[in-house]
Amino acid sequence: MSQNPAQPPKRLILNLFEMNCVSHITHGLWRLPGNNRQRFNDIDYWIELAQLLEAGGFDAVFLADVIGAYDVFRDGPETALREGLQIPSNDPLLVIPAMAAVTKHLGFGVTFSTSYEPPFAFARRMSTLDHLTKGRVGWNIVTSYLPNAARNFGHADQIAHDHRYEIADEYLDVLYKLWEGSWDDDAVVADAENLVYTDPAKVRYINHVGEHFSVAGPHLSEPSLQRTPVLFQATASKAGTAFAGKHAEVVFTGGPTPAGVLAGIQAMRDSAVEQGRAAADIKFIVQAGVVVGRTEEEAAEKLRAYRELASVEGRLAHASLPFDPTAHPRDITVREALAREGKSDAPGAAYLPQDQSVGEFLDAIATSWDEQFFVVGTPTVVADAIESWLDDIGIDGINLRQYHSFGTAQDFIELVVPELRRRGRLREAYVDGETLRERIFGGPARLQPPHVATRYRNGQNLEESALLETASRV
């Protein structure tokens, strides 16, 4: 490992990867004995999970979401419905207050798309969550990728990828004006004697009129502890990289090889510098699979049980494959299978390994869990791997993939957390009153210059921005 012995060990950002549904990523495993996935509709599931994670020292629970069904594979949603593949699913924002009420320290990263719902109402929801959690909330910014999601919001098809990021950029600009610029910190005076709760001179319209949004303001919520929630972003694309350089604080990324992950991280750091930020202003987390046992044999047996129940069809549907490899002989190529279904020019077909046989393709799908950021073994083996990810690849944290709820988290807490703490990779205890931003970055609770959001603080630049937006449309 390449850790500098003169430097303290890099501390792991530890999140549990969750979704308000039955089958999030590990398709087929909801059938495991004792798995609680079917309890996702029950508020007690979320309460028990939050208490478990806080007792185990997790930084946050990271809540994924989609706003459409996976209906590309086999030209319909039937496979996703049979598999419970992110349908049925519920709103992730609404379970956060329940978890926050039974914890004092656990953070919450929640996914919400900028492509289909307007920013004003979302701004209030996030401010409300920041108030209710006492500053423990973050937002995972996504632009949505499912064709069905587009059709659910009145579009004939998906908005073009790079155009979604253009919309997202303006969406964030509106939010920054509301969160950072609409209210002064001392606007609420609560002066009972003079019957003044809020000083009107310290609250203002934002008067945003842009290409995609027109929002007058003022923001309906008073300033919360963080004002702007911690800004997560899930991306690895070129347009997403540029967006991350401007906006993101924590990027949820990945790649098939260490070199690819390193290149992506460097590209986003370079993008941040181009925006006037420091390269270290962005931290990076990846999805990680950890199967741990007290012995190698115990870990191997857990993996065997997971593989036995894993659903290949669930993975194919999740990948939104434009063809069905299970309907073809294993010895023909992917290219020929696509041609037989008339899908050679289907969206996504160009990215498939078309010269690979169907059998090889299916085998690769079946073993895809064994790729990057995956480890099976004893606590020592797992901790060694995580240290390598931190020091050699340069990530800052993980979203722990769940094979069993709550077994995956329980195993990690019981077996891996003590070993990581012994090595100085996890804190021994929480800091009382700490916001999520303070925990991740060790600095203030609020965004700091030169982040673009801070240009609107205390109402600065709102009028100038409105004039520029008007001029750009003339």
mmCIF file of all heavy atoms in Angstrom, residues 391-434:
data_model
loop_
_atom_site.group_PDB
_atom_site.id
_atom_site.type_symbol
_atom_site.label_atom_id
_atom_site.label_comp_id
_atom_site.label_asym_id
_atom_site.label_seq_id
_atom_site.Cartn_x
_atom_site.Cartn_y
_atom_site.Cartn_z
ATOM 1 N N ASP A 391 -5.857 3.882 -0.273
ATOM 2 C CA ASP A 391 -4.498 4.387 -0.450
ATOM 3 C C ASP A 391 -3.962 4.229 -1.867
ATOM 4 O O ASP A 391 -3.214 5.089 -2.357
ATOM 5 C CB ASP A 391 -3.551 3.681 0.521
ATOM 6 C CG ASP A 391 -3.898 3.939 1.976
ATOM 7 O OD1 ASP A 391 -4.530 4.984 2.254
ATOM 8 O OD2 ASP A 391 -3.560 3.101 2.827
ATOM 9 N N ASP A 392 -4.318 3.140 -2.540
ATOM 10 C CA ASP A 392 -3.751 2.872 -3.854
ATOM 11 C C ASP A 392 -4.623 3.420 -4.983
ATOM 12 O O ASP A 392 -4.100 3.892 -5.995
ATOM 13 C CB ASP A 392 -3.545 1.366 -4.054
ATOM 14 C CG ASP A 392 -2.570 0.791 -3.026
ATOM 15 O OD1 ASP A 392 -1.692 1.542 -2.577
ATOM 16 O OD2 ASP A 392 -2.704 -0.395 -2.671
ATOM 17 N N ILE A 393 -5.935 3.345 -4.821
ATOM 18 C CA ILE A 393 -6.828 3.860 -5.860
ATOM 19 C C ILE A 393 -7.212 5.304 -5.565
ATOM 20 O O ILE A 393 -7.418 6.100 -6.473
ATOM 21 C CB ILE A 393 -8.076 2.969 -5.994
ATOM 22 C CG1 ILE A 393 -7.639 1.538 -6.378
ATOM 23 C CG2 ILE A 393 -9.040 3.516 -7.041
ATOM 24 C CD1 ILE A 393 -8.776 0.558 -6.519
ATOM 25 N N GLY A 394 -7.304 5.657 -4.293
ATOM 26 C CA GLY A 394 -7.526 7.050 -3.932
ATOM 27 C C GLY A 394 -8.967 7.421 -3.664
ATOM 28 O O GLY A 394 -9.306 8.609 -3.622
ATOM 29 N N ILE A 395 -9.831 6.419 -3.459
ATOM 30 C CA ILE A 395 -11.203 6.753 -3.073
ATOM 31 C C ILE A 395 -11.224 7.230 -1.623
ATOM 32 O O ILE A 395 -10.239 7.084 -0.889
ATOM 33 C CB ILE A 395 -12.148 5.549 -3.266
ATOM 34 C CG1 ILE A 395 -11.808 4.428 -2.265
ATOM 35 C CG2 ILE A 395 -12.119 5.057 -4.700
ATOM 36 C CD1 ILE A 395 -12.898 3.406 -2.078
ATOM 37 N N ASP A 396 -12.359 7.776 -1.216
ATOM 38 C CA ASP A 396 -12.506 8.266 0.156
ATOM 39 C C ASP A 396 -13.532 7.484 0.968
ATOM 40 O O ASP A 396 -13.564 7.607 2.195
ATOM 41 C CB ASP A 396 -12.925 9.743 0.135
ATOM 42 C CG ASP A 396 -11.877 10.612 -0.540
ATOM 43 O OD1 ASP A 396 -10.817 10.832 0.070
ATOM 44 O OD2 ASP A 396 -12.118 11.043 -1.686
ATOM 45 N N GLY A 397 -14.369 6.708 0.287
ATOM 46 C CA GLY A 397 -15.388 5.993 1.042
ATOM 47 C C GLY A 397 -16.133 4.998 0.190
ATOM 48 O O GLY A 397 -15.901 4.866 -1.017
ATOM 49 N N ILE A 398 -17.066 4.295 0.840
ATOM 50 C CA ILE A 398 -17.851 3.271 0.148
ATOM 51 C C ILE A 398 -19.330 3.413 0.476
ATOM 52 O O ILE A 398 -19.705 3.858 1.561
ATOM 53 C CB ILE A 398 -17.391 1.844 0.508
ATOM 54 C CG1 ILE A 398 -17.578 1.553 2.009
ATOM 55 C CG2 ILE A 398 -15.945 1.620 0.079
ATOM 56 C CD1 ILE A 398 -17.305 0.110 2.407
ATOM 57 N N ASN A 399 -20.154 3.039 -0.496
ATOM 58 C CA ASN A 399 -21.556 2.724 -0.275
ATOM 59 C C ASN A 399 -21.630 1.206 -0.227
ATOM 60 O O ASN A 399 -21.425 0.529 -1.249
ATOM 61 C CB ASN A 399 -22.437 3.261 -1.405
ATOM 62 C CG ASN A 399 -22.689 4.744 -1.292
ATOM 63 O OD1 ASN A 399 -22.463 5.352 -0.249
ATOM 64 N ND2 ASN A 399 -23.162 5.352 -2.366
ATOM 65 N N LEU A 400 -21.864 0.660 0.943
ATOM 66 C CA LEU A 400 -21.822 -0.784 1.143
ATOM 67 C C LEU A 400 -23.061 -1.444 0.538
ATOM 68 O O LEU A 400 -24.179 -1.189 0.960
ATOM 69 C CB LEU A 400 -21.719 -1.107 2.634
ATOM 70 C CG LEU A 400 -21.614 -2.586 3.007
ATOM 71 C CD1 LEU A 400 -20.295 -3.184 2.505
ATOM 72 C CD2 LEU A 400 -21.745 -2.761 4.519
ATOM 73 N N ARG A 401 -22.817 -2.290 -0.465
ATOM 74 C CA ARG A 401 -23.904 -3.019 -1.126
ATOM 75 C C ARG A 401 -24.474 -4.063 -0.181
ATOM 76 O O ARG A 401 -23.734 -4.772 0.495
ATOM 77 C CB ARG A 401 -23.367 -3.694 -2.391
ATOM 78 C CG ARG A 401 -24.401 -4.490 -3.159
ATOM 79 C CD ARG A 401 -23.906 -4.853 -4.550
ATOM 80 N NE ARG A 401 -22.739 -5.713 -4.563
ATOM 81 C CZ ARG A 401 -21.583 -5.428 -5.155
ATOM 82 N NH1 ARG A 401 -21.424 -4.266 -5.772
ATOM 83 N NH2 ARG A 401 -20.585 -6.271 -5.149
ATOM 84 N N GLN A 402 -25.802 -4.177 -0.162
ATOM 85 C CA GLN A 402 -26.452 -5.133 0.722
ATOM 86 C C GLN A 402 -26.816 -6.417 -0.031
ATOM 87 O O GLN A 402 -27.476 -6.370 -1.063
ATOM 88 C CB GLN A 402 -27.737 -4.542 1.318
ATOM 89 C CG GLN A 402 -27.488 -3.386 2.266
ATOM 90 C CD GLN A 402 -28.765 -2.963 2.952
ATOM 91 O OE1 GLN A 402 -29.160 -3.517 3.974
ATOM 92 N NE2 GLN A 402 -29.423 -1.971 2.388
ATOM 93 N N TYR A 403 -26.388 -7.535 0.527
ATOM 94 C CA TYR A 403 -26.826 -8.842 0.046
ATOM 95 C C TYR A 403 -27.980 -9.349 0.908
ATOM 96 O O TYR A 403 -28.847 -10.075 0.430
ATOM 97 C CB TYR A 403 -25.671 -9.842 0.106
ATOM 98 C CG TYR A 403 -24.483 -9.422 -0.721
ATOM 99 C CD1 TYR A 403 -23.393 -8.765 -0.145
ATOM 100 C CD2 TYR A 403 -24.453 -9.662 -2.093
ATOM 101 C CE1 TYR A 403 -22.315 -8.372 -0.905
ATOM 102 C CE2 TYR A 403 -23.368 -9.272 -2.860
ATOM 103 C CZ TYR A 403 -22.300 -8.621 -2.259
ATOM 104 O OH TYR A 403 -21.231 -8.227 -3.022
ATOM 105 N N HIS A 404 -27.962 -8.940 2.164
ATOM 106 C CA HIS A 404 -28.960 -9.391 3.126
ATOM 107 C C HIS A 404 -29.244 -8.237 4.068
ATOM 108 O O HIS A 404 -28.332 -7.570 4.555
ATOM 109 C CB HIS A 404 -28.414 -10.591 3.913
ATOM 110 C CG HIS A 404 -29.395 -11.221 4.868
ATOM 111 N ND1 HIS A 404 -29.763 -10.613 6.049
ATOM 112 C CD2 HIS A 404 -30.066 -12.401 4.815
ATOM 113 C CE1 HIS A 404 -30.618 -11.402 6.692
ATOM 114 N NE2 HIS A 404 -30.825 -12.486 5.963
ATOM 115 N N SER A 405 -30.514 -7.968 4.300
ATOM 116 C CA SER A 405 -30.902 -6.916 5.235
ATOM 117 C C SER A 405 -31.538 -7.565 6.475
ATOM 118 O O SER A 405 -32.533 -8.256 6.353
ATOM 119 C CB SER A 405 -31.926 -5.980 4.578
ATOM 120 O OG SER A 405 -31.412 -5.373 3.427
ATOM 121 N N PHE A 406 -30.913 -7.457 7.601
ATOM 122 C CA PHE A 406 -29.842 -6.549 7.970
ATOM 123 C C PHE A 406 -28.482 -7.250 8.086
ATOM 124 O O PHE A 406 -27.549 -6.711 8.690
ATOM 125 C CB PHE A 406 -30.160 -5.887 9.324
ATOM 126 C CG PHE A 406 -31.504 -5.202 9.363
ATOM 127 C CD1 PHE A 406 -32.496 -5.634 10.224
ATOM 128 C CD2 PHE A 406 -31.780 -4.135 8.513
ATOM 129 C CE1 PHE A 406 -33.736 -4.996 10.262
ATOM 130 C CE2 PHE A 406 -33.010 -3.492 8.561
ATOM 131 C CZ PHE A 406 -33.995 -3.923 9.430
ATOM 132 N N GLY A 407 -28.391 -8.471 7.550
ATOM 133 C CA GLY A 407 -27.204 -9.278 7.763
ATOM 134 C C GLY A 407 -25.921 -8.655 7.267
ATOM 135 O O GLY A 407 -24.878 -8.746 7.923
ATOM 136 N N THR A 408 -25.963 -8.010 6.094
ATOM 137 C CA THR A 408 -24.750 -7.394 5.555
ATOM 138 C C THR A 408 -24.203 -6.329 6.507
ATOM 139 O O THR A 408 -23.003 -6.294 6.805
ATOM 140 C CB THR A 408 -25.029 -6.775 4.180
ATOM 141 O OG1 THR A 408 -25.388 -7.813 3.255
ATOM 142 C CG2 THR A 408 -23.810 -6.038 3.651
ATOM 143 N N ALA A 409 -25.084 -5.447 6.975
ATOM 144 C CA ALA A 409 -24.647 -4.392 7.899
ATOM 145 C C ALA A 409 -24.195 -4.979 9.231
ATOM 146 O O ALA A 409 -23.182 -4.548 9.804
ATOM 147 C CB ALA A 409 -25.766 -3.382 8.116
ATOM 148 N N GLN A 410 -24.927 -5.967 9.740
ATOM 149 C CA GLN A 410 -24.552 -6.587 11.018
ATOM 150 C C GLN A 410 -23.179 -7.236 10.941
ATOM 151 O O GLN A 410 -22.356 -7.084 11.853
ATOM 152 C CB GLN A 410 -25.613 -7.603 11.420
ATOM 153 C CG GLN A 410 -26.926 -6.973 11.858
ATOM 154 C CD GLN A 410 -28.057 -7.983 11.986
ATOM 155 O OE1 GLN A 410 -28.058 -9.018 11.314
ATOM 156 N NE2 GLN A 410 -29.028 -7.691 12.841
ATOM 157 N N ASP A 411 -22.917 -7.954 9.853
ATOM 158 C CA ASP A 411 -21.608 -8.581 9.682
ATOM 159 C C ASP A 411 -20.497 -7.538 9.637
ATOM 160 O O ASP A 411 -19.430 -7.704 10.250
ATOM 161 C CB ASP A 411 -21.576 -9.403 8.394
ATOM 162 C CG ASP A 411 -22.351 -10.706 8.499
ATOM 163 O OD1 ASP A 411 -22.714 -11.090 9.621
ATOM 164 O OD2 ASP A 411 -22.585 -11.333 7.452
ATOM 165 N N PHE A 412 -20.733 -6.465 8.887
ATOM 166 C CA PHE A 412 -19.710 -5.429 8.758
ATOM 167 C C PHE A 412 -19.445 -4.774 10.105
ATOM 168 O O PHE A 412 -18.283 -4.535 10.481
ATOM 169 C CB PHE A 412 -20.153 -4.385 7.732
ATOM 170 C CG PHE A 412 -19.029 -3.523 7.221
ATOM 171 C CD1 PHE A 412 -18.354 -3.854 6.057
ATOM 172 C CD2 PHE A 412 -18.646 -2.370 7.900
ATOM 173 C CE1 PHE A 412 -17.308 -3.067 5.584
ATOM 174 C CE2 PHE A 412 -17.608 -1.575 7.448
ATOM 175 C CZ PHE A 412 -16.933 -1.929 6.276
ATOM 176 N N ILE A 413 -20.512 -4.497 10.838
ATOM 177 C CA ILE A 413 -20.367 -3.844 12.145
ATOM 178 C C ILE A 413 -19.648 -4.742 13.138
ATOM 179 O O ILE A 413 -18.726 -4.303 13.846
ATOM 180 C CB ILE A 413 -21.754 -3.435 12.684
ATOM 181 C CG1 ILE A 413 -22.332 -2.294 11.835
ATOM 182 C CG2 ILE A 413 -21.681 -3.023 14.148
ATOM 183 C CD1 ILE A 413 -23.817 -2.057 12.046
ATOM 184 N N GLU A 414 -20.030 -5.995 13.172
ATOM 185 C CA GLU A 414 -19.453 -6.912 14.149
ATOM 186 C C GLU A 414 -18.015 -7.303 13.819
ATOM 187 O O GLU A 414 -17.166 -7.394 14.715
ATOM 188 C CB GLU A 414 -20.314 -8.176 14.233
ATOM 189 C CG GLU A 414 -19.791 -9.193 15.250
ATOM 190 C CD GLU A 414 -20.641 -10.450 15.302
ATOM 191 O OE1 GLU A 414 -21.732 -10.476 14.696
ATOM 192 O OE2 GLU A 414 -20.198 -11.430 15.944
ATOM 193 N N LEU A 415 -17.715 -7.494 12.534
ATOM 194 C CA LEU A 415 -16.426 -8.080 12.159
ATOM 195 C C LEU A 415 -15.437 -7.084 11.553
ATOM 196 O O LEU A 415 -14.234 -7.175 11.806
ATOM 197 C CB LEU A 415 -16.662 -9.222 11.167
ATOM 198 C CG LEU A 415 -17.545 -10.374 11.678
ATOM 199 C CD1 LEU A 415 -17.791 -11.383 10.574
ATOM 200 C CD2 LEU A 415 -16.900 -11.047 12.885
ATOM 201 N N VAL A 416 -15.914 -6.141 10.755
ATOM 202 C CA VAL A 416 -14.996 -5.264 10.031
ATOM 203 C C VAL A 416 -14.749 -3.948 10.761
ATOM 204 O O VAL A 416 -13.611 -3.462 10.810
ATOM 205 C CB VAL A 416 -15.521 -4.995 8.606
ATOM 206 C CG1 VAL A 416 -14.533 -4.118 7.826
ATOM 207 C CG2 VAL A 416 -15.765 -6.303 7.859
ATOM 208 N N VAL A 417 -15.795 -3.358 11.331
ATOM 209 C CA VAL A 417 -15.639 -2.069 12.006
ATOM 210 C C VAL A 417 -14.543 -2.109 13.081
ATOM 211 O O VAL A 417 -13.694 -1.204 13.134
ATOM 212 C CB VAL A 417 -16.982 -1.578 12.581
ATOM 213 C CG1 VAL A 417 -16.776 -0.445 13.584
ATOM 214 C CG2 VAL A 417 -17.902 -1.113 11.457
ATOM 215 N N PRO A 418 -14.496 -3.120 13.971
ATOM 216 C CA PRO A 418 -13.415 -3.134 14.974
ATOM 217 C C PRO A 418 -12.027 -3.158 14.353
ATOM 218 O O PRO A 418 -11.100 -2.498 14.863
ATOM 219 C CB PRO A 418 -13.696 -4.413 15.765
ATOM 220 C CG PRO A 418 -15.156 -4.660 15.588
ATOM 221 C CD PRO A 418 -15.454 -4.233 14.191
ATOM 222 N N GLU A 419 -11.872 -3.897 13.249
ATOM 223 C CA GLU A 419 -10.562 -3.969 12.609
ATOM 224 C C GLU A 419 -10.190 -2.654 11.946
ATOM 225 O O GLU A 419 -9.030 -2.204 12.028
ATOM 226 C CB GLU A 419 -10.549 -5.104 11.578
ATOM 227 C CG GLU A 419 -9.221 -5.309 10.867
ATOM 228 C CD GLU A 419 -8.082 -5.716 11.790
ATOM 229 O OE1 GLU A 419 -8.350 -6.212 12.914
ATOM 230 O OE2 GLU A 419 -6.900 -5.539 11.393
ATOM 231 N N LEU A 420 -11.145 -2.003 11.317
ATOM 232 C CA LEU A 420 -10.858 -0.698 10.717
ATOM 233 C C LEU A 420 -10.550 0.350 11.788
ATOM 234 O O LEU A 420 -9.689 1.218 11.592
ATOM 235 C CB LEU A 420 -12.042 -0.247 9.859
ATOM 236 C CG LEU A 420 -12.273 -1.042 8.564
ATOM 237 C CD1 LEU A 420 -13.551 -0.563 7.879
ATOM 238 C CD2 LEU A 420 -11.091 -0.902 7.613
ATOM 239 N N ARG A 421 -11.242 0.286 12.892
ATOM 240 C CA ARG A 421 -10.940 1.213 13.985
ATOM 241 C C ARG A 421 -9.545 0.957 14.551
ATOM 242 O O ARG A 421 -8.812 1.906 14.869
ATOM 243 C CB ARG A 421 -12.002 1.083 15.080
ATOM 244 C CG ARG A 421 -13.303 1.786 14.741
ATOM 245 C CD ARG A 421 -14.361 1.603 15.800
ATOM 246 N NE ARG A 421 -15.509 2.485 15.556
ATOM 247 C CZ ARG A 421 -16.692 2.334 16.118
ATOM 248 N NH1 ARG A 421 -16.918 1.326 16.970
ATOM 249 N NH2 ARG A 421 -17.674 3.167 15.842
ATOM 250 N N ARG A 422 -9.181 -0.291 14.670
ATOM 251 C CA ARG A 422 -7.838 -0.625 15.174
ATOM 252 C C ARG A 422 -6.756 -0.034 14.277
ATOM 253 O O ARG A 422 -5.698 0.378 14.752
ATOM 254 C CB ARG A 422 -7.683 -2.146 15.257
ATOM 255 C CG ARG A 422 -6.392 -2.617 15.931
ATOM 256 C CD ARG A 422 -6.260 -4.118 15.906
ATOM 257 N NE ARG A 422 -6.045 -4.619 14.559
ATOM 258 C CZ ARG A 422 -4.875 -4.585 13.933
ATOM 259 N NH1 ARG A 422 -3.816 -4.049 14.522
ATOM 260 N NH2 ARG A 422 -4.751 -5.065 12.714
ATOM 261 N N ARG A 423 -7.066 0.067 12.991
ATOM 262 C CA ARG A 423 -6.096 0.602 12.029
ATOM 263 C C ARG A 423 -6.228 2.112 11.830
ATOM 264 O O ARG A 423 -5.544 2.700 10.990
ATOM 265 C CB ARG A 423 -6.272 -0.100 10.682
ATOM 266 C CG ARG A 423 -6.092 -1.609 10.743
ATOM 267 C CD ARG A 423 -6.233 -2.232 9.368
ATOM 268 N NE ARG A 423 -6.208 -3.695 9.425
ATOM 269 C CZ ARG A 423 -5.914 -4.486 8.401
ATOM 270 N NH1 ARG A 423 -5.599 -3.940 7.227
ATOM 271 N NH2 ARG A 423 -5.939 -5.792 8.529
ATOM 272 N N GLY A 424 -7.127 2.731 12.568
ATOM 273 C CA GLY A 424 -7.299 4.171 12.456
ATOM 274 C C GLY A 424 -8.096 4.609 11.246
ATOM 275 O O GLY A 424 -8.049 5.782 10.850
ATOM 276 N N ARG A 425 -8.876 3.695 10.663
ATOM 277 C CA ARG A 425 -9.625 4.009 9.449
ATOM 278 C C ARG A 425 -11.057 4.445 9.724
ATOM 279 O O ARG A 425 -11.729 4.968 8.835
ATOM 280 C CB ARG A 425 -9.637 2.792 8.524
ATOM 281 C CG ARG A 425 -8.260 2.347 8.063
ATOM 282 C CD ARG A 425 -7.598 3.397 7.181
ATOM 283 N NE ARG A 425 -6.349 2.925 6.613
ATOM 284 C CZ ARG A 425 -5.692 3.515 5.635
ATOM 285 N NH1 ARG A 425 -6.164 4.641 5.116
ATOM 286 N NH2 ARG A 425 -4.559 3.009 5.178
ATOM 287 N N LEU A 426 -11.558 4.207 10.914
ATOM 288 C CA LEU A 426 -12.883 4.654 11.321
ATOM 289 C C LEU A 426 -12.794 5.332 12.675
ATOM 290 O O LEU A 426 -11.978 4.934 13.514
ATOM 291 C CB LEU A 426 -13.852 3.473 11.423
ATOM 292 C CG LEU A 426 -14.423 2.867 10.142
ATOM 293 C CD1 LEU A 426 -15.305 1.682 10.489
ATOM 294 C CD2 LEU A 426 -15.196 3.892 9.342
ATOM 295 N N ARG A 427 -13.628 6.343 12.880
ATOM 296 C CA ARG A 427 -13.639 7.028 14.170
ATOM 297 C C ARG A 427 -14.094 6.072 15.263
ATOM 298 O O ARG A 427 -14.813 5.104 15.020
ATOM 299 C CB ARG A 427 -14.605 8.216 14.113
ATOM 300 C CG ARG A 427 -16.050 7.823 14.266
ATOM 301 C CD ARG A 427 -16.953 9.001 14.364
ATOM 302 N NE ARG A 427 -17.050 9.677 13.097
ATOM 303 C CZ ARG A 427 -17.761 9.242 12.059
ATOM 304 N NH1 ARG A 427 -18.414 8.091 12.164
ATOM 305 N NH2 ARG A 427 -17.818 9.898 10.947
ATOM 306 N N GLU A 428 -13.722 6.377 16.485
ATOM 307 C CA GLU A 428 -14.159 5.589 17.635
ATOM 308 C C GLU A 428 -15.545 6.003 18.107
ATOM 309 O O GLU A 428 -16.273 5.203 18.685
ATOM 310 C CB GLU A 428 -13.157 5.747 18.792
ATOM 311 C CG GLU A 428 -11.788 5.146 18.516
ATOM 312 C CD GLU A 428 -11.809 3.630 18.461
ATOM 313 O OE1 GLU A 428 -12.721 3.013 19.051
ATOM 314 O OE2 GLU A 428 -10.916 3.049 17.804
ATOM 315 N N ALA A 429 -15.904 7.277 17.866
ATOM 316 C CA ALA A 429 -17.201 7.777 18.332
ATOM 317 C C ALA A 429 -17.607 8.972 17.484
ATOM 318 O O ALA A 429 -16.774 9.590 16.802
ATOM 319 C CB ALA A 429 -17.125 8.185 19.800
ATOM 320 N N TYR A 430 -18.886 9.297 17.519
ATOM 321 C CA TYR A 430 -19.390 10.480 16.832
ATOM 322 C C TYR A 430 -19.066 11.740 17.633
ATOM 323 O O TYR A 430 -18.803 11.683 18.833
ATOM 324 C CB TYR A 430 -20.903 10.399 16.663
ATOM 325 C CG TYR A 430 -21.406 9.295 15.757
ATOM 326 C CD1 TYR A 430 -22.035 8.176 16.300
ATOM 327 C CD2 TYR A 430 -21.297 9.383 14.376
ATOM 328 C CE1 TYR A 430 -22.535 7.167 15.477
ATOM 329 C CE2 TYR A 430 -21.787 8.382 13.548
ATOM 330 C CZ TYR A 430 -22.406 7.276 14.107
ATOM 331 O OH TYR A 430 -22.901 6.282 13.299
ATOM 332 N N VAL A 431 -19.145 12.877 16.952
ATOM 333 C CA VAL A 431 -19.036 14.185 17.602
ATOM 334 C C VAL A 431 -20.454 14.733 17.774
ATOM 335 O O VAL A 431 -21.203 14.850 16.803
ATOM 336 C CB VAL A 431 -18.189 15.158 16.766
ATOM 337 C CG1 VAL A 431 -18.192 16.547 17.408
ATOM 338 C CG2 VAL A 431 -16.769 14.628 16.596
ATOM 339 N N ASP A 432 -20.840 15.050 18.981
ATOM 340 C CA ASP A 432 -22.194 15.541 19.241
ATOM 341 C C ASP A 432 -22.475 16.824 18.463
ATOM 342 O O ASP A 432 -21.643 17.743 18.422
ATOM 343 C CB ASP A 432 -22.380 15.814 20.732
ATOM 344 C CG ASP A 432 -22.534 14.534 21.545
ATOM 345 O OD1 ASP A 432 -22.871 13.492 20.943
ATOM 346 O OD2 ASP A 432 -22.318 14.573 22.766
ATOM 347 N N GLY A 433 -23.654 16.877 17.847
ATOM 348 C CA GLY A 433 -24.084 18.081 17.150
ATOM 349 C C GLY A 433 -23.460 18.300 15.798
ATOM 350 O O GLY A 433 -23.704 19.335 15.165
ATOM 351 N N GLU A 434 -22.669 17.370 15.329
ATOM 352 C CA GLU A 434 -21.954 17.523 14.069
ATOM 353 C C GLU A 434 -22.919 17.384 12.888
ATOM 354 O O GLU A 434 -23.739 16.467 12.838
ATOM 355 C CB GLU A 434 -20.889 16.433 14.006
ATOM 356 C CG GLU A 434 -19.902 16.526 12.880
ATOM 357 C CD GLU A 434 -18.865 15.421 12.996
ATOM 358 O OE1 GLU A 434 -19.253 14.244 13.136
ATOM 359 O OE2 GLU A 434 -17.662 15.734 12.955
#
